[in-house]
Amino acid sequence: MARPSSIELKSAEQIIKMRAAGLVVGRTLKTVREAARPGVTTSELDALAREEIAAAGAVSSFLGYGGGFGLPPFPAVTCISVNSEIVHGIPGERVLAEGDLVSVDFGVSLHGWHGDSAITFAVGTPSPEASALCETTRQAMWAGIAAARIGGRIGDIAAAVENSVRSRKLGYGIVAEYTGHGIGTAMHQSPDVPNLGRPGRGELLAKGICLAIEPMLTLGSAATATLDDEWTVVTRDGSLAAHWEHTIALTPAGVWVLTAEDGGEAELAARGVKFGPLAD
Ligand code: MG
Ligand code: MG
C-alpha cells in the first residue's frame, strides 16, 4: 500500500497524544478478550469494540480502510482472524468454539494520532501446540521491541524477531509478506518493519520514531493466501497462525510501548531495556 517515503518523527507532545490513542486500543483489546468465549460471534466482539471507540470519542483506523487502494472498504473496526487465518479476518457470524485460536487486531485515532495493536489468545483451553505458538509470537514481538533504540536500525528489530523464533527450533513459519510499519498521523507510514532481517541494515531509528512491531507466525509453512473476500489472509497449508502487535515510541529516555497498559515497563525491565515514558 502507498506510504510516504520520509519518516515522520514525533515531538514529545505528539507522542503523548499517541499514548492516549494507544491506551484506548489496549483497553479495547482487553474488553474483547474478556468477552470471547464459546458461543460468541466475531461480530459481537466487533460491536464491543465499536462501543469502546464511541465512549472514547475516537475514530476507527480500520473501518472503510482500503477503498483508496482498490480493495473493498474494510467493513469492521477489528480484524478477527481465527485458527488458520493469519490477519485481516472480517468479523461476522462465525461462532467461536472451545479451543479456537483468535487474533484480534485493532486500531484507532484520537485527535488525529493513531495506535495499532494485536493480541492472540485461545477460547477456553488451548492445545499445547496453539499455546506454544501464541507465546512464541508474543515473545518475538517483545524481542523486536527490546531491540529498538535510538541510533539503531530497522534491521536490528527484524533480526531480533527472527532470532527469537529461530532460536526455539520449533520449525515455525515467519510470515514475510506482511510487516510492521511506521505510525502516527496515519496508521500505515514509512518505514516497513520486517519480521526477518539482519542487524545494522535498513533505516536509522531516530528520536521520535513511532513503529508498529507485529510478528505473524505459523505452525507450518509461512506461505499465505487471500480469501475471495479480498481481505482474509490464511495459511496456505491450513496450519494455525498467531499475531501480536504493539505501537512503540523511541524517546530520549528509552522505549515507550504506547498500546500496553503499563507502557511496557514490566516486559522491558525483564529484558534490561530502558523504559521511556514522557510526562504530560
Ligand atoms: Mg494492527
Ligand atoms: Mg499494524
Side-chain angles (χ1 to χ4, degrees):
M1 55 196 72
R3 292 175 190 173
S5 56
S6 67
I7 296 174
E8 180 184 85
L9 300 176
K10 284 74 171 175
S11 68
E13 293 73 18
Q14 291 168 337
I15 291 171
I16 287 166
K17 288 180 180 172
M18 287 184 66
R19 171 61 168 163
L23 283 172
V24 174
V25 172
R27 194 164 63 230
T28 302
L29 285 172
K30 193 174 173 191
T31 298
V32 169
R33 180 177 190 158
E34 285 169 0
R37 57 179 61 89
V40 171
T41 67
T42 53
S43 65
E44 286 168 338
L45 297 180
D46 191 69
L48 287 175
R50 285 180 195 249
E51 287 171 19
E52 293 270 354
I53 290 172
V59 177
S60 172
S61 308
F62 292 12
L63 185 65
Y65 188 93
F69 309 116
L71 288 166
F74 194 78
V77 302
T78 55
C79 295
I80 304 185
S81 309
V82 182
N83 296 333
S84 62
E85 297 171 353
I86 306 168
V87 285
H88 305 165
I90 301 174
E93 296 315 302
R94 181 179 192 135
V95 179
L96 295 178
E98 171 73 25
D100 277 345
L101 191 63
V102 181
S103 301
V104 181
D105 192 349
F106 181 69
V108 302
S109 65
L110 189 65
H111 309 301
W113 295 92
H114 289 253
D116 185 11
S117 180
I119 59 174
T120 297
F121 56 87
V123 176
T125 309
S127 67
E129 294 78 16
S131 189
L133 177 69
C134 184
E135 180 59 12
T136 301
T137 312
R138 196 185 73 84
Q139 291 287 345
M141 173 191 68
W142 280 106
I145 292 170
R149 58 182 54 81
I150 293 170
R153 298 271 173 181
I154 286 289
D156 303 347
I157 299 171
V161 170
E162 180 178 356
N163 293 340
S164 171
V165 179
R166 304 267 193 241
S167 66
R168 287 167 196 246
K169 300 192 187 314
L170 293 165
Y172 292 164
I174 304 175
V175 175
E177 286 104 321
Y178 301 89
T179 68
H181 48 90
I183 180 168
T185 53
M187 176 168 64
H188 289 136
Q189 297 184 322
S190 186
D192 287 344
V193 185
N195 293 309
L196 303 107
R198 294 171 64 180
R201 302 287 178 90
E203 291 88 344
L204 187 67
L205 302 177
K207 184 180 79 170
I209 195 170
C210 294
L211 302 171
I213 296 175
E214 50 177 317
M216 290 145 250
L217 304 185
T218 69
L219 264 188
S221 158
T224 71
T226 304
L227 300 186
D228 287 343
D229 64 22
E230 297 186 56
W231 278 109
T232 311
V233 178
V234 299
T235 56
R236 212 177 290 169
D237 64 4
S239 64
L240 285 179
H243 176 213
W244 277 86
E245 176 180 24
H246 270 309
T247 295
I248 70 159
L250 293 187
T251 76
V255 183
W256 198 11
V257 184
L258 304 175
T259 45
E261 192 172 17
D262 74 344
E265 185 170 14
E267 294 280 357
L268 293 171
R271 291 166 178 78
V273 174
K274 282 185 182 163
F275 175 48
L278 296 169
D280 272 305

